[in-house]
Amino acid sequence: MKFVDEYRDAGLVRRLAEETSRLAGRRELTFMEVCGTHTMSIFRNGIRVLLPATLRLLSGPGCPICVTPNRYLDQAIALSRLPGITITTFGDMMRVPGSTSSLERERAVGRDIRVVYSPLDALELARRNPSREIVFLGVGFETTSPGVAAAVQLAGSRHLSNISFLVAHKVIPPAMRALIEGGVAIDGFLCPGHVSVITGSKPYEFLARDYGHPCVVAGFEAADVLEAILMLVRQAIAGEAAVEIQYRRAVTQEGNKEAQRLLNSTFDTVDSEWRGIGSIPESGLSLRAELKGLDAAEKFEVEVEPTLEPKGCRCGEVLQGRITPNTCPLFETACTPENPVGSCMVSSEGTCAAWYRYARMPGDCL
Amino acid sequence: MKGTERIMLGHGSGGLLMHELLEDEIVAALGRGSIQPDDAAVLPLDGGEVVFTTDSFVVDPIFFPGGDIGSLSVCGTVNDLAVMGAKPLYLSVALILEEGLPIEDLRRVLRSMRRTADEAGVRIVTGDTKVVPHGSADKLFVTTTGIGLRLKGLAPSSSRIRPGDALIASGSLGEHGLAVMLRREGVEFGAEIVSDVASVFPIVESLKPFGDAIHAIRDPTRGGIASTLNEFASASGCTIEIDEQAIPLRDDVRGACEIFGFDPLHVASEGKLVLAVAPGNATEVLCTLRSVPLGSNASIIGTVTDRRTPRVILRTAVGGRRILEMLAGEQLPRIC
């Protein structure tokens, strides 16, 4: 498969891993991969066994499902219980536990909740079902928010009156700042690839400049991840801190200007609640004042149940790289992918789910 | 079933949730000890071994590239008999029709069923038909029940798997699941991916000369080859090691899985087999499989290593290692 196989070449991967081991020597180094897709790639490819034991990889808060707070889900669930409403959502949201229910369970008792692949599918559903109110759950980072922004703009220009958006989009760099301010001990960031296609690599510059952290924007195939780790090791060993782009076939310094314009004309930056972490300044998006007619939170009044956080769940600490999932007392016992307690166990990109699936081989995997 | 008080779609996905439902509820209630763990039951009768199974089909859409609910419902049951080493002989067909179903759709399905049964050499000998109000079923549900006779010498069962066995896939995997999914979602994807739905009995029949050396046979349907291999591991108590690069996958299947975020090892096939074979016979079995039309892409994909822990380890294409898990719930498309 072209554009994929060349980045999964076993010989290339081995050479990159050997070079990394040689350069890192016995130096203890810890890097954080911010993006959930990197976490998945590292596990699916079994990359950790290829690296020296002194090089640690920590997962960060880059799984959009995982950082969505309970209250948002409770609000979506409350909306789904209103008559005449159809909830449309990306598939990962279905099984995320809210305070007392989940969208999957609400669908099982007859609420109209549908999985869509694109926010444009929600527009189409609204057009074909004028008697129903369609609500789209807008969740995710800059990889998904431009698509939702496009759908919001189209809904406005097509004068669709029966669609609205429950928006909980987030932006990544402020969360990275919050982690450092919170004292996470790392030697550099593996920065997200597809978020950076939109934002460019500039938004990470403060991390290198103000905090002295090496940053490398990485692609998602095995050779991409290993090359980016090698670039981080080079910076760390040399005592440098810069923002570099490994994922050059997709990412530029400036990013996608058109998508950035669309985001700016659709959303305002606001303080936002991250599950398990708390409120982070200027880390979320909300619909601009002139688009409030399309905001589901304004359009429908619902009573949202009091937020209940799962007892004993340590997702917040996992998301901040403070603990690894196997340290949580619920991991593998009360909390499994079939019966998740915390959000990190639900999404295929969640750190706990990745550990559960791939890292339960003592000694030979981690 | 901790904390999940309702049946959810994930309970039908062929993964872990479904296994819990079967073990904790259905087998527990209906007869632990009498319900046999394989795809079909083997019943000793008058010196021979009768093999007996049943399967329901609720596929949406009912017509998809490469097949339809008719061909699928015949092949599904025929294959459950075949993987027990049996020659499929007779089928019953029960239809649940939704009010409003176009008669022409029903005719098309029945013609396909008849043609598939003829090709597979089975006779449809009895059946039942019910009509339910609009909305109480989705167009057309089919249940087929089948009886076959075990071929002399073949006695495959996943409990017979032992260390040293070679694992063989009879051909490229995941085509059925993707063909249905892409049609259901209305996704056009370059050249059309076509379901592999077919009777696997000719493949099983070609293995008759190997007799006892064929330790286990399964068709990797719902939950994909990952579920089949994990069932092999837990039924035999063995560790299985699979070489990712040796798993036969078509490029279009890999590409579609990349785009939708599916693991192709979790996607269903409907005309393929996974076999565990005694080590001394692996090469010969492979040659035999490749000489049968449905087995031309057969490949040795791994080995049974030891009896320490029942689990499946995947040696990744880039040289790493990881656990190959069963699908946890419903396979959901990812958002990024």
Side-chain angles (χ1 to χ4, degrees):
Chain A
M1 203 173 6
K2 206 163 150 43
F3 305 123
V4 173
D5 288 341
E6 50 270 54
Y7 303 100
R8 291 181 187 170
D9 179 85
L12 174 61
V13 164
R14 200 186 56 243
R15 283 193 298 282
L16 288 166
E18 283 168 1
E19 175 66 5
T20 305
S21 303
R22 195 187 57 75
L23 206 60
R26 295 214 183 129
R27 174 95 176 258
E28 301 240 347
L29 288 170
T30 303
F31 300 122
M32 175 178 277
E33 85 274 1
V34 177
C35 168
T37 313
H38 281 143
T39 305
M40 279 301 293
S41 172
I42 288 162
F43 277 111
R44 273 188 68 168
N45 289 302
I47 281 175
R48 284 168 192 241
V49 285
L50 302 172
L51 294 170
T54 45
L55 201 161
R56 288 210 310 150
L57 295 173
L58 272 185
S59 306
C63 154
I65 303 304
C66 306
V67 298
T68 300
N70 262 2
R71 194 183 152 75
Y72 176 84
L73 269 154
D74 294 342
Q75 196 176 3
I77 287 165
L79 282 170
S80 79
R81 292 172 178 163
L82 290 180
I85 284 199
T86 298
I87 301 283
T88 52
T89 175
F90 293 128
D92 305 41
M93 289 294 284
M94 290 299 293
R95 298 178 53 224
V96 183
S99 291
T100 56
S101 185
S102 70
L103 293 169
E104 186 181 47
R105 285 190 202 165
E106 293 300 312
R107 184 175 68 181
V109 296
R111 319 288 178 213
D112 190 4
I113 300 171
R114 307 195 196 177
V115 171
V116 293
Y117 289 88
S118 156
L120 298 178
D121 295 344
L123 289 194
E124 181 57 21
L125 207 60
R127 194 187 58 78
R128 279 189 280 116
N129 298 278
S131 64
R132 289 197 69 81
E133 279 288 345
I134 312 297
V135 175
F136 180 81
L137 305 184
V139 171
F141 301 115
E142 292 89 335
T143 29
T144 42
S145 51
V148 175
V152 168
Q153 297 290 350
L154 275 175
S157 63
R158 288 179 188 170
H159 306 293
L160 281 170
S161 59
N162 63 329
I163 185 161
S164 55
F165 298 80
L166 192 64
V167 173
H169 287 294
K170 298 207 180 321
V171 289
I172 286 268
M176 294 162 86
R177 182 197 300 273
L179 288 182
I180 301 176
E181 300 270 340
V184 69
I186 55 166
D187 300 293
F189 283 110
L190 203 68
C191 297
H194 290 148
V195 162
S196 309
V197 171
I198 304 297
T199 64
S201 65
K202 277 193 166 167
Y204 309 113
E205 279 172 2
F206 74 95
L207 294 164
R209 189 185 58 232
D210 303 345
Y211 297 96
H213 278 304
C215 293
V216 176
V217 178
F220 298 99
E221 299 302 333
D224 289 320
V225 172
L226 276 165
E227 186 179 34
I229 290 171
L230 176 59
M231 291 162 80
L232 282 172
V233 169
R234 277 203 194 108
Q235 285 197 42
I237 296 286
E240 290 167 359
V243 178
E244 293 184 278
I245 302 172
Q246 180 279 333
Y247 197 25
R248 291 212 166 269
R249 61 190 186 278
V251 177
T252 61
Q253 263 191 318
E254 303 295 330
N256 181 337
K257 294 265 184 198
E258 184 59 38
Q260 291 167 20
R261 262 195 300 275
L262 187 59
L263 285 174
N264 290 334
S265 62
T266 310
F267 301 115
D268 285 326
T269 307
V270 293
D271 297 353
S272 176
E273 187 76 18
W274 293 56
R275 189 191 284 242
I277 300 179
S279 179
I280 300 178
E282 307 209 320
S283 67
L285 301 178
S286 97
L287 284 171
R288 288 177 63 101
E290 65 269 25
L291 294 165
K292 284 293 178 195
L294 291 163
D295 189 340
E298 306 262 326
K299 192 168 180 179
F300 306 101
E301 209 164 300
V302 284
E303 199 170 318
V304 182
E305 60 190 311
T307 306
L308 264 178
E309 292 299 338
K311 238 188 168 149
C313 171
R314 299 179 71 181
C315 272
E317 289 160 275
V318 170
L319 288 168
Q320 296 175 72
R322 289 176 190 277
I323 63 166
T324 50
N326 55 347
T327 319
C328 175
L330 305 186
F331 182 71
E332 265 197 278
T333 52
C335 184
T336 62
E338 309 86 73
N339 288 296
V341 176
S343 53
C344 301
M345 191 57 98
V346 180
S347 168
S348 60
E349 310 211 326
T351 308
C352 296
W355 275 65
Y356 184 90
R357 267 202 269 174
Y358 300 136
R360 291 181 300 150
M361 287 198 292
D364 56 5
C365 187
L366 285 176
Chain B
M1 294 179 63
K2 303 145 277 182
T4 48
E5 66 287 26
R6 300 264 179 171
I7 290 294
M8 294 181 294
L9 278 176
H11 282 122
S13 67
L16 274 174
L17 266 188
M18 180 156 195
H19 277 255
E20 275 184 20
L21 178 71
L22 292 180
E23 267 308 302
D24 302 349
E25 304 293 334
I26 296 176
V27 174
L30 297 184
R32 205 176 288 288
S34 66
I35 292 182
Q36 300 180 18
D38 285 299
D39 281 345
V42 181
L43 311 171
L45 284 178
D46 270 354
E49 283 185 308
V50 170
V51 179
F52 179 52
T53 194
T54 189
D55 211 337
S56 294
F57 299 85
V58 296
V59 62
D60 167 36
I62 58 174
F63 302 103
F64 48 83
D68 52 62
I69 196 169
S71 57
L72 186 65
S73 64
V74 170
C75 290
T77 290
V78 159
N79 291 350
D80 280 352
L81 297 172
V83 296
M84 297 304 293
K87 178 175 171 51
L89 296 173
Y90 301 106
L91 292 186
S92 76
V93 171
L95 300 168
I96 296 175
L97 310 177
E98 185 191 16
E99 175 189 25
L101 175 78
I103 294 272
E104 188 44 41
D105 283 359
L106 176 63
R107 289 190 188 123
R108 228 177 118 186
V109 168
L110 294 173
R111 278 197 299 272
S112 159
M113 222 174 234
R114 175 65 196 266
R115 190 170 54 240
T116 312
D118 287 349
E119 283 165 10
V122 290
R123 289 178 64 197
I124 296 169
V125 290
T126 184
D128 180 50
T129 304
K130 298 279 191 302
V131 179
V132 296
H134 182 74
S136 298
D138 187 9
K139 295 187 262 304
L140 163 64
F141 294 158
V142 184
T143 299
T144 51
T145 300
I147 285 183
L149 266 183
R150 207 173 224 190
L151 299 176
K152 288 256 180 310
L154 281 182
S157 164
S158 39
S159 60
R160 290 187 51 223
I161 294 169
R162 42 180 168 271
D165 281 3
L167 288 151
I168 301 178
S170 71
S172 54
L173 300 165
E175 287 141 37
H176 174 76
L178 274 175
V180 170
M181 214 273 302
L182 294 178
R183 174 56 55 92
R184 176 161 63 213
E185 301 303 331
V187 180
E188 303 276 331
F189 190 78
E192 193 169 57
I193 294 176
V194 173
S195 167
D196 61 341
V197 57
S199 160
V200 295
F201 178 67
I203 315 183
V204 173
E205 199 176 24
S206 77
L207 300 173
K208 200 180 158 203
F210 297 100
D212 247 8
I214 308 295
H215 291 165
I217 314 178
R218 274 285 168 102
D219 52 340
T221 54
R222 264 175 315 173
I225 191 173
S227 275
T228 306
L229 292 170
N230 275 288
E231 284 160 13
F232 277 0
S234 66
S236 64
C238 291
T239 301
I240 291 172
E241 271 205 38
I242 297 294
D243 181 0
E244 185 172 29
Q245 272 191 311
I247 298 171
L249 291 171
R250 286 166 50 113
D251 265 1
D252 49 6
V253 168
R254 287 178 59 204
C257 283
E258 286 292 331
I259 287 171
F260 287 95
F262 294 151
D263 186 338
L265 308 185
H266 285 151
V267 182
S269 303
E270 288 289 348
K272 300 292 154 51
L273 296 176
V274 182
L275 308 105
V277 177
N281 301 81
T283 320
E284 261 186 290
V285 168
L286 188 66
C287 291
T288 305
L289 287 172
R290 286 185 174 165
S291 68
V292 185
L294 281 177
S296 57
N297 291 318
S299 167
I300 295 180
I301 58 169
T303 50
V304 180
T305 56
D306 55 68
R307 232 185 249 287
R308 279 203 295 270
T309 323
R311 64 182 178 188
V312 184
I313 293 171
L314 188 75
R315 287 193 301 276
T316 68
V318 300
R321 280 155 62 86
R322 68 163 163 104
I323 285 181
L324 179 62
E325 271 289 324
M326 266 195 194
L327 187 62
E330 190 188 356
Q331 192 160 44
L332 298 169
R334 295 187 327 195
I335 72 169
C336 70

